[in-house]
Amino acid sequence: MFLTECPRDAMQGWSEFIPTEKKIDYINSLMSVGFDVLDCGSFVSPKSIPQMADSGVVLDEIDKSISNTKLSVIVANFRGAEKALEHQQVDILGFPFSISETFQHRNTNKNQEEAFNDIVKINDLLKSDGRALNIYFSMAFGNPYGEIWKWEDVDFWANRFNEIGIKNILLSDTTGTGNLEQIELLFEKIPSKYPTIDFGAHFHNRYEDSYKKLKAAYDKGCRRFDSAIKGIGGCPMAKDELIGNMPTEQVINFMATEKIDHSLNLLNFESSYNRAKDIFHF
């Protein structure tokens, strides 16, 4: 299992500003847990996501000597990518590309082709830079805008990204609309067509749906999952009511039940969980 913890996704829609020092302390505690990646900040317009305005400061204070955990940040255009790459701590850039044209406009102020062209430029930049690029397929399992969902649309864009050499795609259930049949369908049909791409799952869902969604993807071969402690967060650009992230503690329970090996330090996870309680008041 390849596990990404997403404090950025948890924090970005939080209504009260989380002090910078508290963010740094929290992310450093997560560094000791042993996740493969921490999605820890974003370089987008502070007007759109004010909570992430201090991402550069936070990044520079993360202690990478604690573990081998890599740091990922979200960007939504080429300029954001350039700003993110000024920080040596950054290992991975994540770009949200939407299967829904409506959401692509809402989230990045671009249509799909414009966003794709930005990704081509960012990908070319990273070829000389050496850092990695993750593409998040937002609305991969449907959308709340009345646009008809077809698995072939996901396949169409997977093929386009395969052609430019993208290596990592996260199929994202941005508003928790995905059902088990869609999860099974996508993970059965698409990854086998593109063997050079590592596909993962970035689910937003209700707490009680966690296990069955994880199992649906896992049974179809998915071994890469994103999550956030207590399922806090979601995408503030999607719609008014946030559907939370996949809860990390549910992923841990799933791995225990299914007897899946992992390298997480569960004592350190408990410490991070307690820090999350202080930040998010649960």
Side-chain angles (χ1 to χ4, degrees):
M1 295 275 276
F2 187 98
L3 302 175
T4 297
E5 175 69 17
C6 303
R8 183 271 315 168
D9 212 350
M11 292 176 183
Q12 66 178 6
W14 201 247
S15 56
E16 59 194 72
F17 188 77
I18 301 162
T20 302
E21 286 302 320
K22 200 171 256 195
K23 288 175 183 163
I24 294 165
D25 178 63
Y26 181 45
I27 293 169
N28 275 326
S29 80
L30 289 168
M31 287 292 287
S32 70
V33 177
F35 295 104
D36 294 286
V37 176
L38 289 182
D39 170 12
C40 63
S42 66
F43 288 82
V44 298
S45 165
K47 289 180 183 173
S48 299
I49 313 286
Q51 187 70 253
M52 293 289 103
D54 58 355
S55 283
V57 178
V58 171
L59 263 168
D60 291 342
E61 295 300 322
I62 297 173
D63 184 357
K64 292 188 79 173
S65 71
I66 295 171
S67 69
N68 294 322
T69 300
K70 295 190 181 302
L71 299 180
S72 174
V73 297
I74 294 294
V75 301
N77 52 43
F78 186 76
R79 184 163 162 266
E82 288 182 313
K83 286 171 66 177
L85 292 174
E86 290 171 4
H87 298 268
Q88 293 306 309
Q89 303 272 63
V90 173
D91 299 297
I92 302 162
L93 299 185
F95 193 107
F97 179 86
S98 181
I99 302 302
S100 156
E101 184 79 88
T102 300
F103 186 61
Q104 191 70 60
H105 273 288
R106 287 187 63 157
N107 201 30
T108 64
N109 256 343
K110 292 178 169 61
N111 63 34
Q112 287 170 313
E113 283 297 333
E114 289 168 335
F116 181 80
N117 290 335
D118 248 10
I119 292 166
V120 170
K121 288 166 59 183
I122 293 168
N123 194 41
D124 288 342
L125 180 66
L126 290 173
K127 283 174 185 172
S128 58
D129 182 271
R131 287 180 268 189
L133 178 60
N134 288 347
I135 304 299
Y136 292 84
F137 271 11
S138 306
M139 305 289 175
F141 300 90
N143 63 79
Y145 310 120
E147 297 170 349
I148 295 170
W149 179 87
K150 301 194 300 290
W151 80 267
E152 291 88 350
D153 291 338
V154 183
D155 183 51
F156 172 82
W157 286 109
N159 185 54
R160 293 283 301 274
F161 284 108
N162 183 58
E163 288 173 345
I164 63 167
I166 295 299
K167 299 299 183 193
N168 301 295
I169 294 177
L170 287 305
L171 302 180
S172 303
D173 189 5
T174 315
T175 52
T177 55
N179 59 43
L180 301 183
E181 291 75 19
Q182 290 172 312
I183 292 169
E184 290 169 351
L185 181 65
L186 284 192
F187 281 104
E188 183 173 2
K189 284 188 171 290
I190 291 180
S192 60
K193 294 181 71 173
Y194 308 103
T196 61
I197 299 177
D198 191 5
F199 286 89
H202 182 98
F203 292 143
H204 290 180
N205 52 266
R206 290 176 181 82
Y207 207 85
E208 62 272 17
D209 293 335
S210 301
Y211 190 94
K212 53 192 178 187
K213 289 197 171 185
L214 288 167
K215 186 158 177 59
Y218 187 86
D219 285 352
K220 293 299 180 182
C222 181
R223 296 294 182 269
R224 181 175 185 145
F225 293 93
D226 291 6
S227 62
I229 286 175
K230 201 62 179 176
I232 302 292
C235 182
M237 307 303 286
K239 59 177 186 175
D240 293 334
E241 180 194 346
L242 290 185
I243 300 290
N245 283 286
M246 172 63 68
T248 307
E249 59 276 16
Q250 294 281 54
V251 176
I252 292 170
N253 291 342
F254 174 77
M255 292 190 295
T257 303
E258 300 288 327
K259 298 181 172 54
I260 299 165
D261 288 336
H262 65 81
S263 56
L264 300 183
N265 183 317
L266 296 183
L267 278 177
N268 289 349
F269 175 76
E270 188 175 349
S271 174
S272 294
Y273 188 92
N274 289 332
R275 281 181 167 86
K277 273 185 180 176
D278 177 50
I279 294 171
F280 300 112
H281 319 305
F282 59 83

